[in-house]
Amino acid sequence: MTTLNNTVIKVVLPVVFLFTFCVFSCSDRKDKTTDSSASVDIQIPFPADHYEDTLDGRLVLLISKHMETEPRFQLRDDSKTCQGFGMDVEDWKPDTPLQFDGEAFGYPVRSFLELPSGEFFVQVVFHKYETFHRADGHVVKLPMDRGEGQQWNRAPGNLYSTPQKVTISNGQLPELSIKLDQKIPPITEPEDTKYVKHIKIKSELLSKFWGRDMYLGAHVLLPEGWETHPNVKYPLAIMHGHFPNDFGGFRTSPPDPNLEPEYSERFDVEGYNLIVQQEAYDFYKTWTGPNFPRVIAIKIQHPTPYYDDSYAVNSAAQGPYGDAITYELIPYIEQQFRGIGEGWSRFVYGGSTGGWEALAVQVKYPNEYGMCFAACPDPIDFRAYCLVNIYEDENAYYQEGTFRKTLVAGHRDYLGNVDATLRDMNYRELVLGTKARSGQQWDIWEATYSPINEEGYPKRIWDRLTGEIDKEVAAYWKENYDLAYILKRDWPKHGKDWEHKIHLYCGDMDNYYLNNAVYLTENILSETTAPHYNGEVDYGDRAEHCWNGDHDNGNHISRLRYHRMFIKKYLEKVDKVAPKGADLKSWRY
């Protein structure tokens, strides 16, 4: 245990102290952006061609140096980002033009005055909000998902302008009138096939909470022989993760012969689109071939007004998604497609967000799920909320000393090279939305884990501008969503329910430092008794984000094989969790 703790220190400390700057320069920059404002004359006419009624939403102004893609697709955490400014819009009435706010918050440059001179491309996006009258009495304005999985730059019904070229001189833009002339069209829903079915149900629990009809969906992959074995009931393999447009990674035909190879920047692999299609076809052959376990596999659609999925748990700001998925959606799927319908027969797996969700539902609903496989999970111990200990640290953005501050890192590669700080990531989100409405990562963690404030929005775990941590909010997070702490706290009560069920996997050079929380959780699990947890924790040497336990292939391959890997792992241990007399044979044809 001592060795493991030392490992955490070795991983964290060199990176945390990578970014340094003096207190004077930091405060000087802050004063400059808050005490001065640019003379910005940018008008946006009301989009009468697209809407007739008053509008609410977020207006995002984007400035880019190139047009390899539209500016709306260039805002990112690292140095390759374009520039963004954001402002809230409330009660935008027809025939009333908007004046873009010259003091709007900017990322990565905070103020219009600090913009570099030169020729650039400008684009404006309007992210449309709706008004929700929640059951708790709060009225909130949020972007409803419209089938795209909460993507502000792709959401149907959102408006954007055709990019135009401008010249910026000494922080001054020319007078502009930017028309929101484009509207993102609706998304066509996928069609059923022999193997893949699509379902959507109205959730009574969520509809009551949100004060309007709310739906859950799923893409269902049926096992080979499902139609010819009408008396067989099957286990349910639940893959958690980001919003799925369809049951991706499964195709019944070989790769498209005329497909133009595309380069993957993330994995530095040429022709990655060809690899993806080949892997999907290989999975189809494996799924339908002999000796593969016959189970029903599903991917769940549960986007919320805050993110592309709910994190699969109940929360104060988002409502009872955990109960809705566990007690409404999953039983419906099992009834429609002949699932066994017992806790031992449901197993969950996923990576990143899906990894956290897999462990979370196993922890929160110990008897409703039979096993979890959590790869590269989002922080499962908030003593290592990436590189922040929310209980002991005073500030999330800086390690502070008497004479200088050190910026906390946010993203690295497998060699430890850092390309974004935690402050960068949070500031980008602040351009996209206030009140946790950006639809991005740090905001959804608050929307999931935080209590609500007097307006009905999530309380901030830290001040988004300064990074100062709110210890009361941290205490709430600990008792309700710190999964490692809950496992330790509740082991005397639920240890027998969790035995054989917990399996964790993470690369030791995870890009977001998620391995640190896994180390701490492993310490807790290793000390469990009566019973011992009897699961698995495994690490990939120099493996980056999304490593899932595959020691033989790179992330770019193994991330495409979740179903093949974890369905077989479940089969190897199902006898450990199934009750005496359970049917473990009829579905193994």
Side-chain angles (χ1 to χ4, degrees):
M1 185 170 71
T2 302
T3 302
L4 194 57
N5 285 337
N6 288 338
T7 302
V8 177
I9 293 173
K10 290 177 182 178
V11 170
V12 176
L13 290 182
V15 180
V16 171
F17 288 100
L18 183 63
F19 293 97
T20 62
F21 61 98
C22 67
V23 175
F24 174 78
S25 63
C26 175
S27 60
D28 180 63
R29 179 177 176 84
K30 182 178 179 181
D31 290 341
K32 182 177 180 181
T33 57
T34 55
D35 292 345
S36 303
S37 62
S39 176
V40 176
D41 190 359
I42 300 176
Q43 288 200 349
I44 299 94
F46 186 88
D49 293 343
H50 304 296
Y51 291 105
E52 298 178 353
D53 299 326
T54 300
L55 296 172
D56 300 311
R58 183 74 171 174
L59 202 63
V60 181
L61 175 70
L62 302 148
I63 304 171
S64 66
K65 191 63 179 175
H66 63 81
M67 277 293 293
E68 294 176 10
T69 59
E70 292 182 43
R72 63 189 170 117
F73 300 125
Q74 295 183 37
L75 196 66
R76 47 195 283 174
D77 292 327
D78 63 14
S79 61
K80 296 180 181 179
T81 186
C82 71
Q83 173 65 34
F85 293 95
M87 60 176 282
D88 286 329
V89 175
E90 291 194 12
D91 299 323
W92 189 7
K93 294 180 172 53
D95 301 322
T96 304
L98 278 182
Q99 180 76 31
F100 200 87
D101 184 3
E103 297 185 9
F105 185 84
Y107 163 85
V109 176
R110 289 282 300 276
S111 165
F112 281 97
L113 284 176
E114 298 178 357
L115 291 173
S117 297
E119 292 188 337
F120 299 89
F121 295 92
V122 172
Q123 185 176 41
V124 172
V125 176
F126 179 71
H127 193 21
K128 186 175 178 289
Y129 292 171
E130 297 183 21
T131 300
F132 296 85
H133 298 266
R134 289 200 317 229
D136 59 7
H138 289 289
V139 178
V140 293
K141 295 181 179 182
L142 294 160
M144 183 64 184
D145 181 77
R146 301 165 213 137
E148 86 292 350
Q150 277 297 2
Q151 301 299 317
W152 64 275
N153 50 12
R154 299 181 185 273
N158 278 1
L159 308 176
Y160 63 96
S161 67
T162 301
Q164 56 183 287
K165 197 171 187 178
V166 301
T167 299
I168 299 175
S169 179
N170 297 321
Q172 296 297 317
L173 281 79
E175 294 183 8
L176 295 172
S177 178
I178 302 178
K179 183 178 180 181
L180 294 166
D181 56 340
Q182 305 293 319
K183 185 177 183 179
I184 301 174
I187 292 174
T188 301
E189 294 187 359
E191 297 181 358
D192 286 354
T193 67
K194 174 185 176 181
Y195 292 102
V196 179
K197 310 298 180 183
H198 308 90
I199 62 124
K200 181 183 288 186
I201 66 168
K202 177 184 174 182
S203 166
E204 297 299 331
L205 291 170
L206 295 174
S207 298
K208 181 180 179 181
F209 176 85
W210 284 103
R212 56 158 291 170
D213 290 348
M214 298 291 283
Y215 295 86
L216 294 171
H219 308 302
V220 182
L221 179 61
L222 297 178
E224 178 69 15
W226 183 83
E227 293 178 336
T228 57
H229 293 75
N231 296 319
V232 173
K233 293 186 176 182
Y234 301 89
L236 189 66
I238 305 163
M239 183 174 181
H240 276 293
H242 292 292
F243 182 88
N245 295 316
D246 202 339
F247 201 101
F250 181 90
R251 59 181 288 140
T252 57
S253 58
D256 300 333
N258 300 320
L259 189 65
E260 195 72 26
E262 294 179 356
Y263 171 73
S264 169
E265 178 186 7
R266 175 180 176 183
F267 298 112
D268 190 23
V269 173
E270 293 285 354
Y272 189 56
N273 54 335
L274 297 173
I275 294 173
V276 170
Q277 288 199 2
Q278 184 63 54
E279 285 289 322
Y281 181 54
D282 290 346
F283 176 47
Y284 156 71
K285 291 187 291 184
T286 299
W287 182 260
T288 58
N291 303 319
F292 193 80
R294 306 307 181 192
V295 303
I296 300 167
I298 67 171
K299 293 185 177 183
I300 299 174
Q301 287 183 322
H302 48 119
T304 83
Y306 285 100
Y307 197 54
D308 72 354
D309 72 24
S310 67
Y311 272 67
V313 293
N314 300 342
S315 67
Q318 297 189 108
Y321 273 92
D323 287 354
I325 292 169
T326 301
Y327 299 124
E328 291 181 330
L329 180 64
I330 287 176
Y332 176 85
I333 293 171
E334 291 170 330
Q335 183 180 25
Q336 293 295 309
F337 300 105
R338 302 199 312 270
I340 292 172
E342 297 178 15
W344 68 268
S345 67
R346 303 168 181 152
F347 59 105
V348 291
Y349 51 93
S352 192
T353 291
W356 191 93
E357 292 169 334
L359 181 60
V361 298
Q362 189 66 77
V363 170
K364 295 278 189 176
Y365 303 92
N367 294 309
E368 300 297 337
Y369 298 96
M371 215 174 293
C372 81
F373 303 91
C376 54
D378 288 1
I380 54 177
D381 188 315
F382 294 155
R383 292 174 295 171
Y385 184 56
C386 296
L387 287 182
V388 180
N389 183 332
I390 66 170
Y391 310 125
E392 296 183 4
D393 293 342
E394 296 298 324
N395 194 289
Y397 296 164
Y398 312 104
Q399 290 289 331
E400 298 192 53
T402 303
F403 298 105
R404 78 176 192 184
K405 295 181 179 181
T406 302
L407 276 167
V408 174
H411 187 274
R412 65 178 173 180
D413 67 12
Y414 76 101
L415 294 175
N417 300 308
V418 177
D419 58 13
T421 69
L422 193 150
R423 189 184 68 171
D424 292 331
M425 302 163 98
N426 279 257
Y427 278 11
R428 181 180 66 85
E429 294 192 9
L430 201 52
V431 163
L432 295 176
T434 58
K435 303 176 182 178
R437 294 182 293 193
S438 71
Q440 305 297 301
Q441 187 61 75
W442 297 90
D443 274 350
I444 183 54
W445 284 336
E446 288 181 335
T448 303
Y449 310 147
S450 287
I452 56 175
N453 62 21
E454 61 278 0
E455 291 184 283
Y457 297 101
K459 285 187 176 181
R460 293 293 197 189
I461 183 63
W462 58 65
D463 185 296
R464 275 302 172 97
L465 287 176
T466 67
E468 182 180 354
I469 297 172
D470 186 323
K471 296 302 181 181
E472 289 186 7
V473 175
Y476 181 91
W477 282 31
K478 182 176 184 177
E479 293 299 324
N480 294 280
Y481 300 101
D482 187 326
L483 300 181
Y485 167 77
I486 293 171
L487 281 168
K488 183 175 183 178
R489 181 193 68 192
D490 294 350
W491 197 263
K493 180 179 180 181
H494 288 301
K496 291 183 179 179
D497 301 323
W498 289 323
E499 187 183 10
H500 303 296
K501 295 182 179 182
I502 297 173
H503 309 80
L504 306 177
Y505 310 92
C506 199
D508 63 13
M509 287 301 290
D510 186 277
N511 304 101
Y512 303 97
Y513 310 91
L514 301 178
N515 50 303
N516 293 355
V518 177
Y519 297 148
L520 296 174
T521 305
E522 183 184 21
N523 277 347
I524 290 172
L525 291 172
S526 67
E527 295 173 352
T528 55
T529 58
H532 185 65
Y533 85 104
N534 289 315
E536 181 183 20
V537 181
D538 193 12
Y539 303 97
D541 179 38
R542 291 189 295 177
E544 296 184 302
H545 189 54
C546 286
W547 189 80
N548 59 10
D550 185 346
H551 288 278
D552 299 321
N553 296 283
N555 280 10
H556 71 294
I557 297 296
S558 61
R559 67 184 292 270
L560 305 173
R561 297 181 177 180
Y562 273 75
H563 306 292
R564 278 175 274 185
M565 292 175 59
F566 293 130
I567 289 173
K568 288 182 178 180
K569 282 182 175 288
Y570 168 77
L571 187 67
E572 293 169 358
K573 291 188 64 175
V574 64
D575 61 310
K576 302 287 187 181
V577 298
K580 187 175 182 179
D583 177 14
L584 300 178
K585 294 183 178 181
S586 69
W587 45 275
R588 297 189 188 185
Y589 52 80

